[in-house]
Amino acid sequence: MSKVVAHSLFTEFDIDLFKAGKHFRLYEKLGSHLTEVAGVKGTYFAVWAPSAKSVSVIGDFNHWNADEHKLNVRWDSSGIWEGFIPGVDQGTKYKYKIQSHNNDISTEKADPFARYCEQPPKTASMVWNAEHNWKDKKWMDEREKHNGLDRPYSVYEVHLGSWRKKNGWEYLSYMELADELVDYVDEMGFTHVEFMPVMEYPYDPSWGYQLTGYFAPTSRFGKPEDFKLLVDKFHQKGIGVILDWVPSHFPEDAHGLGFFDGSHLYEHPDRRRGYHPDWKSLIFNYGRNEVRAFLISNAIFWLDQYHVDGLRVDAVASMLYLDYSREDGEWEPNIYGNNENLEAISFLREMNQEVYGSFKGVQTIAEESTAFSGVTKPVHFGGLGFGMKWMMGWMHDTLEFFKKDPIHRSYDLNEITFSLTYAFTENFMLPFSHDEVVYGKQSLLYRMPGDEWQRFANLRMLFGYMFTHPGGNLLFMGGEFGQSSEWNFQESLEWHLTQYDFHSGIQKVIKDLNKLYKTNPALYDKQFSSDGFQWIEYNDQENTVVSYIRKGNDPKDDMIVVCNFTPVPRENYRVGVPKTSQLKLVFNSDDAKYSGSGMGKKTLKPGKTSWNGHLQSVLMTLPPLSIVVYK
């Protein structure tokens, strides 16, 4: 008698949706599910392996013996193998032993839908039902108000393994992070936190971007329910949670998705489209219905089961173009003879439609570095349908400008002003991400020129410019206190530096900028609209000064921003202003509390001298290497 009981969670409708690539809740059916059949408790298993000759569940419950528990293949040509195994309980370790029709080789694979995995370097899946009593109802009910495009978006990007370590080397657990990280992000005033990939990954130096367990939070830091607690605690503090999501590629690890059932099941069979030369990894077959359903189900899973508020989609540019990182002859044009990956484009559109159609108040954010048109335009207008896109050009130009000796900046002022020629073509988020502080690029602080005082003054100014530029903001951990070294994923951030005035001054700047951003509608009401920005002066090369107005829905909220990119103070610097009312200083990056020189006037009364196209103007004192904001 078979030790596997015939049982199924699938209806005919489920199978029809799956084959059509339209089943976006596959995690409710595929994988392992604790259940009861005919009064007997156990686990139902289901796995997609259409090229398999046989599929067995092996695990610690049967001494990893492939002859003990062979699953039944469905009769409907779906390629799904399934069955109920009595007595298999929570925490049972298992894999699928797959014998392929295509060869004589049998492979042992982790469950693509596993909810929990052994801690690497071990690779088994675990039967798991993550129970959690959510306490974030207030946030979820009001999320649409907090998470809209007309709300502040100040994101703290975190690598959980290296944010802080205990005893100098141990990871903080999800539960410890739920206390320490949540309180810190709240104290610093960020509106959102973004986690570099938390889905299970085998190789630490990949930073999580090579996934093998798409439906499992990594076991490095604890159990799945502990990760739910971490998200819950952020929500209780009014902080949104964004996850890095990687639908662009996956590793060739033997237990992973690659060559899953002896065939190119998840990856594209043509190596020109199924292999990524940069990352030595496999690329999903976006034209295969069941693969699209797998990926979209995965996006939905984190929003549904973990209450996540947004997905930052990694490496979108690599998905959009067939010739990405390829030489002539290494890629094949599409049916129209150009280089766009039509199947990937179609997949991204469908993913965004399903995400926004299923959840209120969520956002998807594209890491997309090219000039591909319409990334953040709605799908029904021909766009990809993302909520936001990283403004990689701004990041590159800004850092190139700031690293210059101030004596040369006057010749390159256009590097700072150029972003405003395209700032409103997409809904842009301004990122200073982890990629900018690795591989010899140096920390943000050490990208700044000059002596110690000038480095810190430049960094304070850089952050002020970032927060007052239109768009959302993202800052990688460590940048908020001026970490000296490049980021190292194996080590904790250099928290000891915050005892020094210059570094604690940077921390105070970020706190105050977050408060400024969140409490001044001029900085977020119209952050993705040209109506929210107006130049005052963008071509004062002689003084290397730029000035602009940020505008909210109510004109009384308007703010005047002036940047002095040189270490030379500017006395009696005239700036045209649109109104006759008195101006009050609300932020000065040179304030003494930040370890600046403390120059600058607290209030300004406009006079009747016309300037910069305005009927009135003010005379300012511009501190060295500073940004000042008046309201």
Side-chain angles (χ1 to χ4, degrees):
M1 182 176 175
S2 172
K3 295 183 179 180
V4 175
V5 177
H7 182 68
S8 184
L9 296 182
F10 286 91
T11 65
E12 286 187 27
F13 184 54
D14 285 324
I15 297 299
D16 289 343
L17 286 175
F18 179 54
K19 289 180 178 179
K22 301 296 182 183
H23 200 309
F24 302 137
R25 301 292 190 283
L26 284 175
Y27 52 88
E28 296 175 351
K29 310 289 180 175
L30 287 165
S32 58
H33 299 270
L34 291 165
T35 189
E36 190 174 305
V37 175
V40 178
K41 291 182 178 179
T43 300
Y44 165 79
F45 293 90
V47 62
W48 177 52
S51 291
K53 190 191 306 183
S54 70
V55 177
S56 301
V57 182
I58 58 174
D60 52 10
F61 65 98
N62 64 9
H63 306 289
W64 305 92
N65 185 345
D67 297 325
E68 292 281 317
H69 296 90
K70 292 182 182 292
L71 296 179
N72 307 305
V73 67
R74 289 185 62 90
W75 63 92
D76 49 24
S77 73
S78 62
I80 292 172
W81 298 73
E82 61 183 354
F84 172 77
I85 303 178
V88 172
D89 202 358
Q90 177 104 326
T92 298
K93 297 170 186 172
Y94 72 98
K95 284 185 179 179
Y96 296 118
K97 183 95 168 185
I98 300 174
Q99 178 77 40
S100 177
H101 271 300
N102 296 340
N103 53 48
D104 293 329
I105 300 171
S106 62
T107 55
E108 295 181 5
K109 291 290 189 179
D111 188 346
F113 284 85
R115 305 291 184 90
Y116 192 21
C117 303
E118 280 191 296
Q119 188 165 335
K122 296 179 179 178
T123 57
S125 304
M126 295 169 72
V127 176
W128 205 263
N129 182 25
E131 295 286 351
H132 177 71
N133 180 25
W134 289 94
K135 297 177 181 176
D136 63 348
K137 186 177 187 304
K138 184 174 187 293
W139 168 268
M140 296 299 281
D141 288 346
E142 299 176 353
R143 177 167 67 178
E144 222 170 344
K145 295 192 303 195
H146 299 298
N147 217 31
L149 294 175
D150 59 349
R151 301 300 300 162
Y153 241 86
S154 179
V155 183
Y156 186 55
E157 186 190 22
V158 176
H159 178 262
L160 291 177
S162 59
W163 177 71
R164 179 173 280 157
K165 291 183 183 287
K166 55 186 177 184
N167 304 321
W169 60 274
E170 287 182 85
Y171 292 136
L172 294 183
S173 69
Y174 291 129
M175 297 185 76
E176 289 167 327
L177 290 161
D179 291 326
E180 295 185 35
L181 178 60
V182 171
D183 285 348
Y184 180 74
V185 175
D186 182 47
E187 178 194 349
M188 292 300 295
F190 290 97
T191 64
H192 293 75
V193 66
E194 179 180 314
F195 298 140
M196 291 167 66
V198 297
M199 303 80 181
E200 194 59 82
Y201 57 98
Y203 187 51
D204 285 342
S206 78
W207 309 335
Y209 289 97
Q210 301 266 9
L211 305 181
T212 50
Y214 271 77
F215 291 83
T218 178
S219 54
R220 287 167 174 81
F221 315 118
K223 299 173 182 177
E225 53 266 41
D226 300 339
F227 182 62
K228 288 183 176 181
L229 174 69
L230 176 58
V231 176
D232 201 347
K233 285 290 186 72
F234 272 114
H235 284 173
Q236 291 172 44
K237 291 282 192 179
I239 297 165
V241 178
I242 303 165
L243 298 187
D244 266 12
W245 185 52
V246 192
S248 46
H249 64 114
F250 57 93
E252 290 189 284
D253 292 58
H255 69 286
L257 297 177
F259 215 58
F260 187 79
D261 61 353
S263 72
H264 298 289
L265 190 63
Y266 288 92
E267 68 271 24
H268 199 286
D270 185 338
R271 196 77 167 170
R272 293 173 296 182
R273 298 179 64 176
Y275 181 76
H276 203 297
D278 285 356
W279 302 312
K280 308 293 187 288
S281 54
L282 302 173
I283 299 171
F284 286 103
N285 185 355
Y286 304 108
R288 187 162 193 168
N289 287 343
E290 297 91 342
V291 173
R292 290 167 73 108
F294 168 81
L295 286 171
I296 295 175
S297 289
N298 187 241
I300 296 297
F301 171 79
W302 294 101
L303 300 165
D304 174 27
Q305 297 289 300
Y306 285 84
H307 291 202
V308 165
D309 307 294
L311 297 171
R312 177 266 193 187
V313 184
D314 182 61
V316 171
S318 75
M319 299 171 68
L320 295 177
Y321 297 104
L322 297 167
D323 61 345
Y324 185 90
S325 274
R326 286 175 171 81
E327 303 295 333
D328 289 345
E330 295 178 348
W331 63 282
E332 187 177 41
N334 62 30
I335 57 172
Y336 302 113
N338 66 39
N339 66 342
E340 291 184 355
N341 188 333
L342 302 178
E343 293 165 347
I345 291 168
S346 167
F347 158 72
L348 290 169
R349 286 173 171 158
E350 188 169 26
M351 181 275 296
N352 279 317
Q353 282 181 307
E354 187 61 27
V355 164
Y356 283 104
S358 300
F359 300 93
K360 289 184 176 179
V362 299
Q363 299 292 345
T364 60
I365 304 159
E367 188 217 9
E368 204 287 303
S369 54
T370 75
F372 190 93
S373 179
V375 172
T376 59
K377 285 191 168 47
V379 172
H380 57 269
F381 287 147
L384 293 182
F386 284 94
M388 280 176 268
K389 166 181 169 170
W390 276 16
M391 199 175 190
M392 311 292 273
W394 170 88
M395 176 193 70
H396 176 269
D397 290 348
T398 298
L399 291 176
E400 280 295 306
F401 177 82
F402 266 86
K403 80 177 186 182
K404 289 180 167 67
D405 187 307
I407 200 169
H408 302 304
R409 287 177 177 174
S410 62
Y411 306 110
D412 296 298
L413 208 53
N414 64 305
E415 286 186 349
I416 279 293
T417 60
F418 178 67
S419 61
L420 271 302
T421 64
Y422 64 94
F424 307 109
T425 57
E426 302 277 5
N427 299 334
F428 281 116
M429 176 177 282
L430 316 178
F432 287 138
S433 74
H434 63 273
D435 279 326
E436 296 313 303
V437 290
V438 289
Y439 298 144
K441 293 179 182 176
Q442 297 187 299
S443 65
L444 289 180
L445 176 64
Y446 276 85
R447 302 275 276 275
M448 303 295 112
D451 59 21
E452 184 181 49
W453 192 94
Q454 289 194 22
R455 282 189 196 278
F456 281 94
N458 270 301
L459 189 61
R460 295 192 299 266
M461 187 186 186
L462 174 71
F463 290 146
Y465 167 66
M466 175 191 193
F467 273 81
T468 58
H469 187 289
N473 310 303
L474 176 138
L475 181 61
F476 182 58
M477 63 183 201
E480 81 280 7
F481 60 81
Q483 169 137 327
S484 299
S485 302
E486 282 193 336
W487 171 56
N488 183 338
F489 73 92
Q490 296 173 304
E491 298 176 359
S492 171
L493 296 181
E494 299 171 334
W495 292 104
H496 65 279
L497 293 176
T498 58
Q499 67 185 298
Y500 303 112
D501 289 345
F502 275 133
H503 291 278
S504 65
I506 298 291
Q507 248 183 337
K508 291 171 187 171
V509 163
I510 294 296
K511 280 186 192 178
D512 288 352
L513 284 171
N514 274 326
K515 184 177 179 182
L516 185 78
Y517 182 32
K518 292 191 293 186
T519 56
N520 286 280
L523 296 178
Y524 60 79
D525 273 351
K526 301 176 180 179
Q527 59 190 338
F528 301 119
S529 167
S530 58
D531 294 338
F533 180 89
Q534 181 183 339
W535 282 115
I536 297 175
E537 175 59 77
Y538 59 85
N539 200 32
D540 183 1
Q541 290 183 307
E542 182 181 349
N543 294 296
T544 323
V545 171
V546 301
S547 51
Y548 46 91
I549 306 171
R550 291 299 309 276
K551 300 179 178 183
N553 294 326
D554 189 333
K556 77 176 190 318
D557 294 327
D558 290 0
M559 307 181 87
I560 307 291
V561 183
V562 186
C563 308
N564 176 14
F565 293 109
T566 72
V568 180
R570 306 288 178 191
E571 299 277 359
N572 296 319
Y573 185 85
R574 189 172 293 279
V575 177
V577 294
K579 300 172 189 172
T580 57
S581 50
Q582 179 173 276
L583 296 178
K584 178 185 176 185
L585 182 69
V586 291
F587 178 78
N588 177 5
S589 68
D590 188 55
D591 197 302
K593 67 180 176 179
Y594 309 138
S595 295
S597 65
M599 291 182 67
K601 297 178 181 178
K602 301 292 185 186
T603 58
L604 298 168
K605 181 65 179 172
K608 293 184 179 179
T609 302
S610 298
W611 205 258
N612 301 129
H614 296 284
L615 296 178
Q616 51 279 320
S617 58
V618 292
L619 289 175
M620 291 187 176
T621 296
L622 301 183
L625 292 171
S626 72
I627 180 167
V628 291
V629 184
Y630 285 88
K631 187 175 177 180

